[in-house]
Amino acid sequence: MDPKLLVTVILFGPLIGAATAGLFGRRLGDNLSRGVTTGFLFLSAILSWVVFSQWTWGGLQPFTLTYAPFIHVGNFVSDWSFRLDGLSAVMLVVVTTVSSLVHLYSWGYMADDPSKPRFFAYLSLFTFAMLSLISAADFMQLFFGWEGVGLASYLLIGFWFHKPTANSAAIKAFVVNRVGDFGFALGIMTVFWAYGTIQFAPLFPMIAGSVGHGWDFGSWHFALVDLACALLFVGAMGKSAQFFLHTWLPDAMEGPTPVSALIHAATMVTAGVYMVCLLSPMFEYAPVAKGIVTGIGAVTALFAATVGMTQNDIKRVIAYSTCSQLGYMFMAAGVGAYQAGMFHLFTHAFFKALLFLGAGSVIHGMAHEQDMRRYGALGKYLPITATVMVIGTIAITGLGIPGLELGFAGFYSKDSIIESAWRIGSAGNPMAYFAFVIGVLVAGLTSFYSWRLAFFTFNGHARWTSEDLEHHWHNRDHGHDDAHADGHAHDDHASAAQIETHSEPESAEHHHLPHESPWTMRLPLILLSIGAVASGFFFHEQFIGEGRADFWRGAIFNLPSNHALSGEPPTLVLWMPLIVTLIGLFAAWYVYIRREGMGARIAARGGPLYVFFYNKWFFDELYQATFVRAAKFLGDLFWKGGDQRIIDGLGPDGVSAVSVEVGKGAGKLQSGYVYHYAFVMLLGVAGLLTYALVAWNA
């Protein structure tokens, strides 16, 4: 089949589905609306795999398909187009595969929601925006898709708009991303100002010849390419929830679980990583910007891993895991191992979507309870969900055997990032060496919090009763809340005695027991688990092995001096990720299985380190005390002081007040007595005669 026709169907299929369900959903009904959207997504996914196979094994060459002019103003030229190369071919598979499975999963998960056409329309709209982003041939269409996924994420996070927490989370995501997008827009302006074009094809060859060009501001000198790349990376920090602009991601779990899997596991949050890898011809000549990317990525990985160890909401643990894994991807891009970063993006899409959807299956079976402290012993009630969650856990922790090159997906991609950081660090780059140390440490922390989730949820004693589930289901029948549908908030610092009360469930004959999800939810889990197991083994040679040059075909640029993926590290470096991963696994087993209740006692003591991690390094409180309060103060100052007192006080309110007072004073002269009016007329005549006599004598 003609690949140009295929990519057109891939791009516009989700848009047609979104328009159909969004505009005509009420007339079409629930089944037809979700059938149309899901059908178009599966069609796009199948065709994406066809294009990917043609690219990988069929010798398909890069091309750009232009559909129509977008913006033509002077030298500013942007066309609506589809760019196919190694990067977009990979992202096509990631976006459409995860999105189609999320659509199918949502058939079961959202079965009781009355707004299914709207939900499926939002999902498909998001997918179209993401496809527009990854297929862009210039910065303008990239920015269009960038803002499109921001809009769609706002709609999906706040889908249950009757929940104040969902509204707050949606606004928070939107505002924080606007901060990043401001930097992204400045970066695009800098590129156009410096190079006179925003189209990738003519831009990238210019970079090498402009390395010495800079911008002087006072006594400071900024290299143009470093300045542009640093500003563009600010946009990536917001979209990919990196340190300082990360606060929106955990709160985004207020949306339905399928939204978490789609937006915050495999697509939207990876847009920043994709953008940095796409701009490798620029970043390779921007050492300062690359150092910033490396440092921010490493700090983000560490921050999110430490916070993830202490969270009790199952979706929030996985959300911080996403934030941490994105840090790994940026570490790879920062040290110049863009291929390894994209490989981890690829494998991460499978096991992270699997973990999120698996968590959704647990939540569904537990009457939409999300607090892991109310779980336990669920393995025998949810055997399929438990199995796929363990597969996802093995994949994200990167268990594998170095030398034999045998392991689950995360083993191939995450280890390649750590090894690349060591290669660049050992060559004299201190920031890369810092990233290597952090990468090894975070591998152990990842193992701990990932196995903590698995053990806390599926093993040990049951910390729930059938009465709890009956209460949850009763409240669930009267609302659509995904989180804590009973409407009461659990005490985040419940006592050790409360948490360690192990109430065994009633007999299996009781109606209210945990149960497996419907097949529409289980089938995507099984398919994603295959990717979590095998995607690293089957594709590591193409992404980061000897065949990577042919696979990427110029889509990723490396300077000849870049040896991030070349050379065999020492044996200790190869084995260190596995060693710390096993240590993390043993620690989680000891705390939550061997000495069950130990974690609760640690939490109940509330040591300073635990409190610091549990409260997410106090970033929300810090931002509330500085930016939020400052914004409110300035708002009140300009509103009450500037608008009301000065503008309105001197303007319309002031004029009206004077008019009222003058009217009141003049009204007192209107007594209604004839002799008063006659006296005033006499005074007027006397004054007029006096003026006439004076004027006559003069």
Side-chain angles (χ1 to χ4, degrees):
M1 298 178 66
D2 183 6
K4 295 184 178 181
L5 176 61
L6 295 182
V7 297
T8 301
V9 176
I10 292 170
L11 175 61
F12 292 105
L15 178 62
I16 296 173
T20 302
L23 298 176
F24 309 107
R26 291 187 178 181
R27 294 184 180 181
L28 295 176
D30 292 348
N31 290 334
L32 195 54
S33 295
R34 61 187 181 179
V36 170
T37 52
T38 306
F40 273 114
L41 255 299
F42 269 94
L43 175 62
S44 293
I46 293 170
L47 296 181
S48 295
W49 278 102
V50 171
V51 172
F52 182 75
S53 63
Q54 290 180 350
W55 177 268
T56 307
W57 298 289
L60 181 63
Q61 295 301 311
F63 65 83
T64 299
L65 181 61
T66 301
Y67 296 113
F70 189 19
I71 299 176
H72 287 196
V73 179
N75 294 330
F76 191 93
V77 177
S78 175
D79 295 319
W80 188 263
S81 57
F82 195 110
R83 187 199 83 262
L84 182 72
D85 57 15
L87 285 166
S88 58
V90 171
M91 293 300 293
L92 283 179
V93 168
V94 169
V95 173
T96 58
T97 300
V98 173
S99 183
S100 60
L101 293 177
V102 166
H103 274 70
L104 178 59
Y105 180 93
S106 300
W107 281 56
Y109 195 89
M110 304 294 290
D112 298 327
D113 196 282
S115 301
K116 285 185 282 292
R118 179 168 62 92
F119 180 76
F120 281 88
Y122 288 169
L123 287 182
S124 292
L125 177 64
F126 173 86
T127 307
F128 167 72
M130 191 68 194
L131 291 173
S132 300
L133 187 158
I134 64 174
S135 63
D138 59 47
F139 277 108
M140 200 65 234
Q141 185 180 328
L142 182 69
F143 190 74
F144 170 84
W146 199 269
E147 296 302 308
V149 293
L151 169 64
S153 67
Y154 170 80
L155 296 173
L156 287 166
I157 294 168
F159 178 76
W160 286 322
F161 52 83
H162 61 278
K163 292 172 56 180
T165 52
N167 280 325
S168 298
I171 294 172
K172 187 175 184 179
F174 198 80
V175 171
V176 173
N177 272 274
R178 296 292 71 72
V179 176
D181 293 351
F182 180 68
F184 188 52
L186 289 177
I188 296 175
M189 296 175 193
T190 302
V191 169
F192 183 72
W193 167 64
Y195 302 103
T197 182
I198 60 167
Q199 295 180 310
F200 301 142
L203 169 65
F204 292 158
M206 298 181 187
I207 304 300
S210 63
V211 173
H213 297 175
W215 175 54
D216 294 319
F217 182 77
S219 60
W220 293 325
H221 178 80
F222 299 95
L224 281 180
V225 65
D226 268 315
L227 178 63
C229 288
L231 290 171
L232 292 168
F233 177 63
V234 173
M237 289 174 61
K239 198 65 69 183
S240 296
Q242 293 299 284
F243 199 63
F244 297 121
L245 297 180
H246 63 276
T247 54
W248 67 271
L249 184 63
D251 289 357
M253 300 303 104
E254 288 292 337
T257 297
V259 173
S260 303
L262 177 63
I263 298 179
H264 309 295
T267 52
M268 173 180 165
V269 294
T270 62
V273 179
Y274 166 80
M275 186 264 288
V276 173
C277 294
L278 172 66
L279 302 181
S280 58
M282 296 178 62
F283 276 89
E284 280 292 90
Y285 293 100
V288 175
K290 286 178 67 176
I292 295 173
V293 174
T294 306
I296 293 293
V299 173
T300 302
L302 178 63
F303 157 77
T306 57
V307 174
M309 293 192 301
T310 61
Q311 300 304 298
N312 299 309
D313 185 305
I314 187 172
K315 287 172 63 177
R316 284 182 180 267
V317 173
I318 303 174
Y320 279 107
S321 170
T322 298
C323 193
S324 182
Q325 297 303 306
L326 288 166
Y328 270 110
M329 299 176 203
F330 280 111
M331 283 164 50
V335 301
Y338 310 99
Q339 298 89 336
M342 286 300 299
F343 189 30
H344 197 52
L345 185 157
F346 179 75
T347 60
H348 176 265
F350 292 102
F351 56 70
K352 186 50 62 66
L354 173 63
L355 288 171
F356 261 122
L357 296 185
S361 183
V362 173
I363 294 168
H364 183 273
M366 287 293 291
H368 287 249
E369 172 63 72
Q370 293 183 201
D371 194 324
M372 294 189 298
R373 294 170 298 181
R374 273 72 184 177
Y375 289 171
L378 294 181
K380 60 182 177 181
Y381 298 99
L382 310 172
I384 297 177
T385 300
T387 301
V388 298
M389 287 284 282
V390 169
I391 291 174
T393 301
I394 295 174
I396 194 174
T397 57
L399 277 177
I401 305 175
L404 295 180
E405 299 301 319
L406 184 63
F408 282 28
F411 162 71
Y412 298 92
S413 56
K414 186 164 70 176
D415 281 23
S416 68
I417 294 174
I418 295 174
E419 293 165 13
S420 298
W422 179 86
R423 292 188 188 99
I424 301 301
S426 62
N429 187 322
M431 189 60 74
Y433 198 80
F434 169 73
F436 164 72
V437 174
I438 295 298
V440 173
L441 174 61
V442 171
L445 300 180
T446 301
S447 179
F448 177 81
Y449 70 68
S450 297
W451 286 111
R452 170 182 179 262
L453 184 151
F455 293 149
F456 217 24
T457 301
F458 300 110
N459 300 99
H461 293 81
R463 298 179 295 277
W464 50 270
T465 65
S466 57
E467 286 80 6
D468 294 334
L469 298 186
E470 183 175 1
H471 176 70
H472 282 302
W473 279 116
H474 173 75
N475 286 279
R476 167 69 175 167
D477 292 338
H478 294 84
H480 313 292
D481 288 359
D482 192 32
H484 306 306
D486 57 352
H488 73 272
H490 297 306
D491 181 13
D492 287 332
H493 294 285
S495 68
Q498 290 174 310
I499 297 174
E500 289 189 80
T501 301
H502 306 309
S503 303
E504 293 293 345
E506 297 180 7
S507 64
E509 284 78 14
H510 198 285
H511 178 66
H512 297 288
L513 289 176
H515 58 276
E516 281 285 11
S517 305
W519 71 268
T520 53
M521 295 173 66
R522 294 198 299 267
L523 180 58
L525 293 176
I526 295 171
L527 295 176
L528 287 169
S529 65
I530 296 173
V533 172
S535 60
F537 176 79
F538 280 106
F539 293 106
H540 76 279
E541 190 64 30
Q542 285 83 6
F543 277 81
I544 59 174
E546 296 298 328
R548 64 179 182 270
D550 180 63
F551 178 81
W552 296 109
R553 291 174 214 159
I556 291 178
F557 173 75
N558 289 118
L559 286 171
S561 58
N562 186 335
H563 301 293
L565 293 172
S566 303
E568 188 71 11
T571 302
L572 180 60
V573 173
L574 292 174
W575 283 86
M576 282 181 70
L578 177 60
I579 293 171
V580 297
T581 296
L582 293 177
I583 292 173
L585 168 58
F586 174 78
W589 171 83
Y590 184 81
V591 172
Y592 295 99
I593 300 295
R594 180 69 177 82
R595 300 288 300 275
E596 186 177 0
M598 182 178 178
R601 292 190 291 273
I602 293 173
R605 282 198 295 267
L609 197 60
Y610 174 84
V611 171
F612 183 65
F613 291 160
Y614 181 82
N615 287 282
K616 299 159 285 189
W617 294 21
F618 292 100
F619 262 96
D620 285 331
E621 291 79 3
L622 177 63
Y623 285 178
Q624 181 72 26
T626 53
F627 298 116
V628 175
R629 289 186 180 178
K632 287 183 177 179
F633 172 77
L634 288 176
D636 287 342
L637 178 65
F638 288 120
W639 167 39
K640 296 179 180 179
D643 189 38
Q644 290 186 344
R645 294 183 182 179
I646 298 177
I647 298 176
D648 288 345
L650 298 179
D653 291 347
V655 171
S656 63
V658 171
S659 299
V660 169
E661 293 301 322
V662 171
K664 289 180 180 179
K668 294 179 180 180
L669 300 176
Q670 307 297 319
S671 64
Y673 295 107
V674 175
Y675 60 86
H676 286 170
Y677 299 146
F679 179 70
V680 172
M681 292 174 63
L682 180 62
L683 290 177
V685 171
L688 180 62
L689 290 175
T690 302
Y691 173 76
L693 291 173
V694 171
W696 179 268
N697 293 327

